[in-house]
Amino acid sequence: MPLKILSVDDSKTIRMLVAKAFRPYDATVLEAGNGEEGLAVAAREKPDLIILDVTMPVMDGVTMLTKLKENPELKHIPVVMLTAESGRDNVIHIARLGARDYLVKPFKEDQLIGKVTRIVSLQPRAGTPAPAS
């Protein structure tokens, strides 16, 4: 069964980059444009991993992460935060809220895959050669 990865970002470009990074793997990438949509998709789909932007309209990533961790059905889902801010205080704050890791934008596909493989097991898609690491 493919991994379910939820990409929550107000930037369609970032969501496309995330989806592209996982194409060689046995993974389904779900998308949401803000934290409110992200919570709804997470509750409905129960993804194996969430890649969550910090700064978004409607509901930001920090609020979504807080709500995820408060929900008994969703709090176990590992979250990788995407942030434009690499400041130490910001990083400590999202770690305290329960994010498993973070990635500073702009990022490269292999950086994202590297962070994700430390958290979940990514399998190559059937019939696809494994990407060189």
Side-chain angles (χ1 to χ4, degrees):
M1 195 163 143
L3 271 180
K4 271 194 216 173
I5 296 169
L6 172 56
S7 171
V8 185
D9 201 303
D10 58 319
S11 162
K12 184 140 186 63
T13 306
I14 296 289
R15 293 195 316 263
M16 284 170 48
L17 278 170
V18 169
K20 184 173 173 277
F22 289 103
R23 264 192 217 125
Y25 300 96
D26 191 15
T28 303
V29 178
L30 310 162
E31 295 185 11
N34 62 56
E36 202 170 89
E37 281 178 27
L39 274 176
V41 174
R44 189 176 63 238
E45 298 288 338
K46 308 282 192 293
D48 300 294
L49 177 83
I50 298 173
I51 296 167
L52 179 58
D53 185 26
V54 170
T55 312
M56 295 179 288
V58 187
M59 182 190 290
D60 65 27
V62 170
T63 305
M64 180 182 160
L65 179 64
T66 303
K67 289 182 179 293
L68 268 175
K69 295 303 174 187
E70 290 168 353
N71 183 323
E73 289 185 25
L74 305 176
K75 68 181 185 185
H76 68 280
I77 301 170
V79 176
V80 174
M81 299 294 284
L82 294 180
T83 178
E85 318 212 356
S86 58
R88 186 171 172 269
D89 293 344
N90 184 47
V91 169
I92 289 169
H93 180 63
I94 59 180
R96 279 202 186 115
L97 290 173
R100 286 286 293 275
D101 210 336
Y102 74 97
L103 198 55
V104 178
K105 293 179 183 180
F107 59 88
K108 292 186 171 61
E109 282 180 27
D110 59 345
Q111 290 173 304
L112 174 63
I113 296 299
K115 299 266 186 193
V116 169
T117 52
R118 287 191 209 124
I119 301 169
V120 294
S121 174
L122 279 176
Q123 301 303 319
R125 196 175 290 279
T128 307
S133 43

